[in-house]
Amino acid sequence: MSGRNGQDKGVLDGQVALVTGASRGIGAAIAARFAAEGARVAVSARTLTEGTSRLPGTLEDTVAGIRAAGGTAEAFAADLSAREDRVRLAEQVRERYGAVDILVNNAAVTYFTPVADFTERRAALMFEVQVTAPTHLAQLVIPGMRERGRGWILNISSVAARHPQIPPGPYAGLGGTVYGMCKAALERLSTGLAAELYADGIAVNSLAPTQVVPTPGTLFHHLTTEDDPNAEPPEVMAAAALALCHAPASELTGRIAYSQELLAELGLAP
């Protein structure tokens, strides 16, 4: 299989990548791009087959698309809010493909509700999936990365992590505060881990889309529309993710990056 760079081997040839939240949207696009560059990709989400989610897209769809394009992928269904599922996921991927070289934490459970009306159960679930799970999965794959002296951890963030303006803008009432809290914590995890793992040759970064990506999730929450001229194609995030998941840690680590700005900085096209 030839990588998208036109060479016989892609830049991720021989690497094992685990991408969570890969049944649709940004996660599926990243998985497809990594596979096109030669990685053996383990894709994970709760939705394995059609009919198990109210949103379109399944792990089976993602794997089928990758294999049809000549790539290597396998689906691993997991509920990342459950610790035992996270442990099982890491073990199954290791048994199937070997130690993980690249971890992309993309999975999310999101509710848009003002803080005054947010339930404790929903807030706890969001933090478990978007903060605790990425931390735990990193802990599970770091030993293998340390043994090889290299590795890449990428946490998918959002512009919602930024502090709002005061007086607030027109979108302040949409209920994104808890979501932004989760993403801000994820970004701090990224920079902290990058510092802790720098000497081990392991790169850790966070990446957010510059503009809203029209995925089944963002469309469901009415954050954008399919015909929005300002929307960002998921392929842009996939290209930026690739850039952050093969460069040496000495060159690209500890970044809170935004897709379009990063690609422009590196002189890369989506």
Side-chain angles (χ1 to χ4, degrees):
M1 172 179 161
S2 296
R4 280 187 48 161
N5 55 11
Q7 301 174 0
D8 290 336
K9 294 182 179 180
V11 296
L12 300 184
D13 186 64
Q15 305 292 309
V16 175
L18 169 57
V19 183
T20 69
S23 57
R24 58 183 69 92
I26 291 172
I30 290 174
R33 184 64 188 268
F34 283 12
E37 291 292 345
R40 291 172 290 165
V41 183
V43 294
S44 182
R46 291 177 298 169
T47 308
L48 177 62
T49 59
E50 194 171 340
T52 56
S53 173
R54 57 186 173 182
L55 300 178
T58 68
L59 290 177
E60 289 185 343
D61 293 336
T62 302
V63 169
I66 289 173
R67 291 177 177 174
T72 301
E74 188 162 331
F76 298 86
D79 178 357
L80 295 187
S81 69
R83 187 183 192 281
E84 59 272 21
D85 269 28
R86 301 192 293 260
V87 173
R88 178 175 52 81
L89 172 62
E91 291 176 347
Q92 288 179 337
V93 173
R94 186 166 51 248
E95 290 171 0
R96 179 68 179 87
Y97 285 143
V100 171
D101 298 288
I102 302 168
L103 169 64
V104 178
N105 288 307
N106 173 67
V109 174
T110 305
Y111 301 98
F112 286 95
T113 307
V115 171
D117 302 318
F118 225 101
T119 67
E120 183 178 352
R121 182 186 65 81
R122 286 188 169 184
L125 177 60
M126 285 180 62
F127 271 81
E128 187 70 27
V129 174
Q130 298 190 51
V131 181
T132 303
T135 305
H136 187 201
L137 288 175
Q139 292 173 323
L140 292 170
V141 302
I142 285 171
M145 292 179 177
R146 276 181 164 152
E147 286 181 6
R148 296 186 303 286
R150 58 175 170 77
W152 295 266
I153 298 172
L154 180 62
N155 297 315
I156 303 303
S157 189
S158 165
V159 295
R162 295 172 173 170
H163 293 278
Q165 295 179 337
I166 301 295
Y171 300 107
L174 293 181
T177 298
V178 174
Y179 177 66
M181 289 166 60
C182 292
K183 292 305 186 182
L186 194 61
E187 291 183 354
R188 182 60 178 85
L189 168 67
S190 302
T191 56
L193 261 183
E196 292 180 7
L197 300 177
Y198 186 82
D200 297 297
I202 301 170
V204 187
N205 295 284
S206 78
L207 175 66
T210 298
Q211 296 168 293
V212 178
V213 179
T215 66
T218 58
L219 293 173
F220 175 81
H221 289 292
H222 306 291
L223 301 179
T224 187
T225 60
E226 291 182 351
D227 58 353
D228 183 355
N230 296 317
E232 178 176 301
E235 290 75 21
V236 176
M237 278 290 288
L242 177 64
L244 292 171
C245 290
H246 77 273
S250 58
E251 297 178 9
L252 273 177
T253 194
R255 301 286 293 271
I256 298 175
Y258 296 90
S259 55
Q260 294 178 35
E261 289 84 348
L262 178 71
L263 293 174
E265 174 191 336
L266 301 177
L268 299 173

